[in-house]
Structure formats: structure tokens, C-alpha cells
Amino acid sequence: MATAQLTASSISVSARSLSSFEGLRASNVKFASFKPAGGFALSRRPLRCLVVQAATVVAPKYTSIKPLGDRVLVKIKTVEEKSEGGILLPSSAQTKPQAGEVVAVGEGKSIGKTKLDISVKTGAKVVYSKYAGTEVEFDGSSHLILKEDDIVGILETDDIKDLKPLNDRVFIKVAEAEEKTAGGLLLTEASKEKPSIGKVIAVGPGPLDEEGKRQALSVSPGSTVLYSKYAGNDFKGTDGANYIALRASDVMAILS
């Protein structure tokens, strides 16, 4: 059976800019040349390679971004490049940021005949849902345009445990995972079941009804609750405890 081997040499493939595709750009990519054992060589014709940009780049000629409706522009907090022990983290291990500073807000939204302003103000430090919004590169920094409802809460300090939830969000301190099985066997970290019980630390003002009025939530701070296992956004506090912010609809029961 014929075999194939890779040679040590490499070729450089260059692609020209494709201006007809918005959000796509050409890229220089290196491929190792491929030489079958039979002695013949594969063609080295240039190949075009498209790279999809993770964020929309706003050209320098534009000096401001004004969100519309109930959208908010957030300047994303810089990703941590080192661990707490000072070890440099590779890009794959760096935590995707979920916090930033509000730099612009829209004019709000209307519910029926009621006009509602955005509840967060410029300069506020906020935490948002992990995969919310559209990322844009503007003025040399990463920003996110997202709906106000995608903002989980306001950070009044640098500690996540002091989060002030918005709208129908509930902020919970997660109960510690069981260390042993019912038979008394110690569990490893990998085998510990993800807890879905915790104590409510803070709640938002509630969702808006059809008249634009806030509806109080059915849970209150201090309650121990059972919630959907894979709901919400997880956070780690400076005290080492785990926290989760989720919608009130993801709370299934109050325990007593």
C-alpha cells in the first residue's frame, strides 16, 4: 500500500482582500507541503482563506456610537492574563469577561402608552449574560451592544457577592457540593454533582407588566431555593464561594 509523508518545507498562501464580504477578511496562512511516497507532488496553487472576525470593527472615521431603543453600549472589562498565583494564562484558558462599564444608553422603550427610560446609567459597572449582545471594536477597545434585559445586575463594588440584580433576576449563593456519597464514600471533584440549591442573596425589582409597572418577585433574600440545574450565569466570589444569577422563572421551589 502506498504511503504518504509530509516534507519539512512549507509554503505560504496569500489571499487578497475580499471587500464584497462584510465581516470577512483575507488572511495569510501557512500550509505544510504534501508529498506522496510515489514521487509525484501535489499542485501548489494559491488557495483563498476566509477568516470570520469575532467582532465588528468600527472605522476610525466614526467617533461615537449611539445605541437605539432599549440597547446599551458597554466597554468590556479587560480579560485577566494571569492567574491569582501570577501564572500567565494562554488565550484558551482566559475567562470570557462578563463585566464592563456602561458608556452610552438608548432612549428606552415603550410598553403600551408608557415610555420607559433605561434603568442603568452611563458610568455604571454592570455584569451581563455570557453570550449576549454584539461585540464591536471601537476606539481601540472592545465594546458590546446589548439589550438592557441582557444585563444581569449592577456591580457596586469589585466583589461579585455585592451584585445588585436587575429586572426579574435572582442572585443566589450556591450550596456546597456533597463531599460524600450516601454510603460515606468520598467524592472526587470530577464526580461531585453540580448543586442546584442555594440561598437567595438579592433579588431584582421584578419584571414589567403591560402597563409598565413592576411586579414583585415570589422569592426574597434569605430564602433557600431549588433552581434549574443548567440555568443562569455562574460566578466565583473573592470569598471562594460560588454564586449564580438567574431569572426568577428558573427558581422551581422554596425549601424550608
Side-chain angles (χ1 to χ4, degrees):
M1 182 181 293
T3 59
Q5 61 183 8
L6 291 175
T7 67
S9 61
S10 64
I11 58 175
S12 177
V13 179
S14 177
R16 292 174 298 177
S17 174
L18 300 179
S19 57
S20 59
F21 291 88
E22 182 178 0
L24 301 178
R25 61 179 176 80
S27 174
N28 291 330
V29 181
K30 287 188 176 182
F31 294 91
S33 61
F34 182 77
K35 185 178 181 181
F40 62 90
L42 295 179
S43 171
R44 295 186 177 183
R45 289 180 299 175
L47 299 175
R48 290 180 183 269
C49 177
L50 295 178
V51 177
V52 180
Q53 294 180 340
T56 301
V57 179
V58 179
K61 65 180 180 179
Y62 301 107
T63 58
S64 67
I65 297 178
K66 172 62 177 175
L68 298 179
D70 60 343
R71 291 178 175 82
V72 176
L73 179 66
V74 175
K75 185 177 181 180
I76 299 174
K77 180 181 178 182
T78 306
V79 177
E80 295 292 338
E81 296 183 352
K82 291 184 179 181
S83 67
E84 292 182 1
I87 300 174
L88 284 173
L89 296 171
S91 57
S92 59
Q94 291 172 6
T95 304
K96 178 181 173 68
Q98 286 180 252
E101 179 182 349
V102 176
V103 294
V105 299
E107 65 275 13
K109 63 180 179 180
S110 296
I111 297 181
K113 296 181 179 180
T114 305
K115 179 72 168 59
L116 299 172
D117 294 330
I118 300 291
S119 61
V120 293
K121 306 301 181 184
T122 302
K125 304 293 190 299
V126 297
V127 173
Y128 47 83
S129 297
K130 196 165 192 175
Y131 300 106
T134 299
E135 190 171 341
V136 295
E137 291 290 335
F138 172 67
D139 195 25
S141 300
S142 296
H143 292 72
L144 198 67
I145 299 177
L146 68 164
K147 294 250 186 189
E148 180 190 14
D149 189 54
D150 289 323
I151 297 177
V152 174
I154 297 174
L155 271 178
E156 298 182 332
T157 71
D158 290 333
D159 197 336
I160 191 65
K161 68 181 179 63
D162 298 320
L163 180 74
K164 179 183 177 182
L166 295 179
N167 300 317
D168 62 341
R169 297 304 205 291
V170 179
F171 189 55
I172 296 170
K173 183 177 182 180
V174 179
E176 293 185 6
E178 294 293 334
E179 299 286 340
K180 295 181 180 180
T181 66
L185 296 176
L186 286 172
L187 294 171
T188 62
E189 288 296 326
S191 61
K192 289 179 183 178
E193 185 176 359
K194 180 181 178 181
S196 53
I197 295 175
K199 182 179 179 180
V200 176
I201 303 299
V203 299
L208 296 166
D209 63 15
E210 294 180 354
E211 296 179 353
K213 297 179 180 179
R214 293 284 180 185
Q215 300 295 303
L217 300 181
S218 58
V219 295
S220 56
S223 300
T224 299
V225 296
L226 176 69
Y227 55 86
S228 299
K229 185 171 289 189
Y230 299 105
N233 293 269
D234 299 306
F235 303 97
K236 191 80 165 180
T238 56
D239 56 357
N242 293 310
Y243 295 86
I244 187 169
L246 39 74
R247 294 188 182 275
S249 59
D250 291 319
V251 177
M252 299 186 293
I254 297 175
L255 305 178
S256 60

